Amino acid sequence: MRDLKQLVKAYDVRGVVPDQWDEDLSRAFGAAFVQVTGATAIVVGHDMRPSSPSLTRAFAEGAAGYGADVVQIGLCSTDQLYYASGAFDLPGAMFTASHNPAEYNGIKLCRAGAAPVGQDTGLAEIRELVESWTGEDDTVTVPARDVRPGTLSERETLRGYADHLLGLVDLAAIRPLKVAVDAGNGMGGHTVPTVFDGLPIELVPMYFELDGTFPNHEANPLDPKNLVDLQAKVREVGADLGLAFDGDADRCFVVDERGEPVSPSAITALVAAREIARAKAAGEAEPTIIHNLITSWTVPEVVRELGGAPVRTRVGHSFIKQEMAVTDAVFGGEHSAHYYFRDFWRADTGMLAALHVLAALGGQPGTLSELTAEYDRYAASGEINSTVADQADRTAAVRAAFAVEGTTVDELDGLTVAGPDWWFNLRASNTEPLLRLNVEAKDPARMAELRDGVLAVVRA
């Protein structure tokens, strides 16, 4: 039998088509989603992958068969689906495998108002229901339900999505900017032209053709090799900055005028500063900013300096969104370039973060590297993966070697050890035999020494 635990991850559904899942299974997920959420109407959208239209159609049929009216918004970015979920106040399903290769596809699910659906908030129940409908020969039989079948309708949301984002950032007075954008043949090629239309921006588009086979490079800007083309283009055309979106365009990475990557932590600090100022102007005394434990120490430092309240969380959008709801935080950022906004239903949108960068840069005469210099205070290793036979054993060995007198230790998410001017975090992957290491220190030499020391123990 198919192992649905391999298909249903912590935050979404993701696997190879048709080996791990297909239209029949997608139809069952649609029915199960409606049954678990109790939805009477939902909104669905999809990315540009070759398998996305048929999987989305099957999911919609399954949902309609269980009594839900289905609003289909067609090709969209993930944050465009979140916009539709928030604007229509409907649960939503986005068909995408984000930055994964072409043979993958998946579903990101949310409740009304873009509230997350993860293992602890309905996804495990959905999986168990689909498992109960799956036979030993992998055939899926969705039981008939004595309800009025739902309707299928279509609705356009791109213009509304763009207008909503542009209403959250003041770009009226920015100076003209030349911006290179690498969409990676993903959904950024769909959203950027509409969002940027009418702004004083000379757009230099790269790989805007929607192509889920990703003919130019992987749509994963977190991997430095996928930024090389954008870096070269920024230097070639003399752009003020470059933007790179992942496959479903919910994450955005930034390159400065020199073609150098700007860390997501620096972008988190920059946007946090702007959102704190906006919240204070509206009367909030101490606006809350969420950051995961792998973002730079710069982020909480900047937040405190500006009179905000930083809150540290585990990695992952469900934890960020939950903490944002509890604290009424105005903004949240992760090291992976996911950016969350209270005014966007606490959902993540790389496009809104990009607009903040454009507003900050366009509102002053300097360069982006000058603007972000104050948010780049430490040397960081980036995330380094190591394949290990025993994650717990290697983590314990690192703890024994580095958790000594004069350090602080916590296990909020993996193992974090901190000294006076350095820290590292070592986390086990939930899906692979990997340990993920992130190191930060006040100077590059100390960072490199610490990085190499930890890796020597991990890989011993």
Side-chain angles (χ1 to χ4, degrees):
M1 287 181 63
R2 288 174 172 140
D3 183 0
L4 292 192
K5 289 183 180 178
Q6 295 298 314
L7 179 64
V8 180
K9 311 295 186 182
Y11 315 121
D12 61 13
V13 177
R14 198 173 301 192
V16 176
V17 179
D19 298 0
Q20 291 181 285
W21 71 302
D22 54 19
E23 286 79 2
D24 287 344
L25 210 50
S26 186
R27 192 172 289 105
F29 273 108
F33 181 56
V34 169
Q35 180 158 321
V36 169
T37 61
T40 57
I42 65 171
V43 58
V44 299
H46 64 83
D47 70 9
M48 66 294 134
R49 291 168 184 271
S51 60
S52 288
S54 60
L55 290 172
T56 306
R57 185 165 52 251
F59 183 96
E61 291 168 358
Y66 264 45
D69 295 328
V70 182
V71 179
Q72 302 169 100
I73 64 171
L75 281 166
C76 64
S77 61
T78 290
D79 60 334
Q80 188 181 336
L81 185 280
Y82 291 152
Y83 159 77
S85 173
F88 304 158
D89 197 28
L90 294 176
M94 174 67 189
F95 277 75
T96 181
S98 185
H99 60 276
N100 285 112
E103 64 270 22
Y104 283 79
N105 215 320
I107 322 171
K108 294 182 178 181
L109 299 168
C110 62
R111 295 180 186 266
V117 172
Q119 284 288 349
D120 299 329
T121 51
L123 196 52
E125 295 172 70
I126 292 169
R127 186 201 77 229
E128 290 165 4
L129 196 54
V130 174
E131 284 175 336
S132 73
W133 298 339
T134 305
E136 291 186 4
D137 59 354
D138 281 341
T139 58
V140 185
T141 305
V142 179
R145 200 175 183 189
D146 186 19
V147 294
R148 173 195 64 83
T151 61
L152 300 178
S153 62
E154 296 180 0
R155 191 156 176 182
E156 196 281 324
T157 58
L158 182 55
R159 184 69 259 171
Y161 157 81
D163 289 344
H164 181 78
L165 293 182
L166 293 167
L168 298 176
V169 184
D170 185 4
L171 293 157
I174 66 168
R175 61 186 169 91
L177 297 171
K178 180 182 285 191
V179 183
V181 177
D182 184 345
N185 298 109
M187 294 312 301
H190 172 75
T191 56
V192 168
T194 298
V195 176
F196 283 20
D197 183 41
L199 298 177
I201 288 173
E202 181 184 344
L203 178 62
V204 183
M206 299 178 63
Y207 314 138
F208 271 39
E209 305 77 20
L210 301 184
D211 188 340
T213 67
F214 307 113
N216 294 290
H217 60 70
E218 293 177 353
N220 180 20
L222 188 60
D223 188 333
K225 73 175 183 287
N226 298 318
L227 286 177
V228 170
D229 290 357
L230 177 63
Q231 293 172 284
K233 181 61 72 174
V234 166
R235 298 182 188 115
E236 174 194 335
V237 303
D240 294 291
L241 76 161
L243 304 173
F245 291 90
D246 66 346
D248 60 336
D250 61 347
R251 289 187 296 154
C252 182
F253 290 74
V254 181
V255 169
D256 69 21
E257 80 288 348
R258 304 166 303 172
E260 295 298 321
V262 181
S263 81
S265 287
I267 298 300
T268 295
L270 184 154
V271 178
R274 291 176 53 81
E275 288 288 69
I276 288 170
R278 193 160 75 105
K280 287 199 164 195
E284 289 188 47
E286 192 181 34
T288 298
I289 302 294
I290 306 296
H291 65 99
N292 75 22
L293 77 172
I294 298 176
T295 53
S296 170
W297 271 355
T298 300
V299 175
E301 287 176 4
V302 167
V303 170
R304 291 190 189 99
E305 289 163 7
L306 296 175
V311 173
R312 179 172 175 263
T313 75
R314 296 176 62 182
V315 173
H317 78 96
S318 63
F319 303 115
I320 297 276
K321 291 172 181 176
Q322 179 181 352
E323 198 63 38
M324 288 187 76
V326 169
T327 62
D328 197 31
V330 294
F331 173 67
E334 294 199 87
H335 70 295
S336 54
H338 282 287
Y339 305 106
Y340 307 79
F341 295 83
R342 182 173 66 189
D343 290 339
F344 197 74
W345 301 278
R346 303 188 189 97
D348 41 323
T349 165
M351 185 68 77
L352 185 50
L355 293 178
H356 273 285
V357 173
L358 294 175
L361 178 60
Q364 52 91 52
T367 64
L368 185 57
S369 61
E370 293 167 342
L371 176 65
T372 57
E374 64 178 299
Y375 305 125
D376 189 19
R377 304 176 180 181
Y378 297 87
S381 66
E383 191 155 273
I384 303 168
N385 290 328
S386 301
T387 301
V388 296
D390 188 328
Q391 295 168 322
D393 174 73
R394 290 298 84 205
T395 301
V398 170
R399 184 183 185 115
F402 291 91
V404 297
E405 187 176 350
T407 65
T408 60
V409 180
D410 74 63
E411 295 178 306
L412 173 65
D413 193 351
L415 172 69
T416 301
V417 182
D421 59 358
W422 58 265
W423 63 267
F424 70 81
N425 173 269
L426 188 68
R427 292 181 304 127
S429 167
N430 292 321
T431 57
E432 300 172 274
L434 300 176
L435 285 175
R436 308 187 192 282
L437 174 66
N438 284 270
V439 182
E440 184 174 77
K442 194 64 178 177
D443 65 78
R446 183 71 181 105
M447 184 279 292
E449 177 187 14
L450 190 61
R451 176 199 65 204
D452 295 346
V454 177
L455 286 176
V457 177
V458 169
R459 297 172 177 177

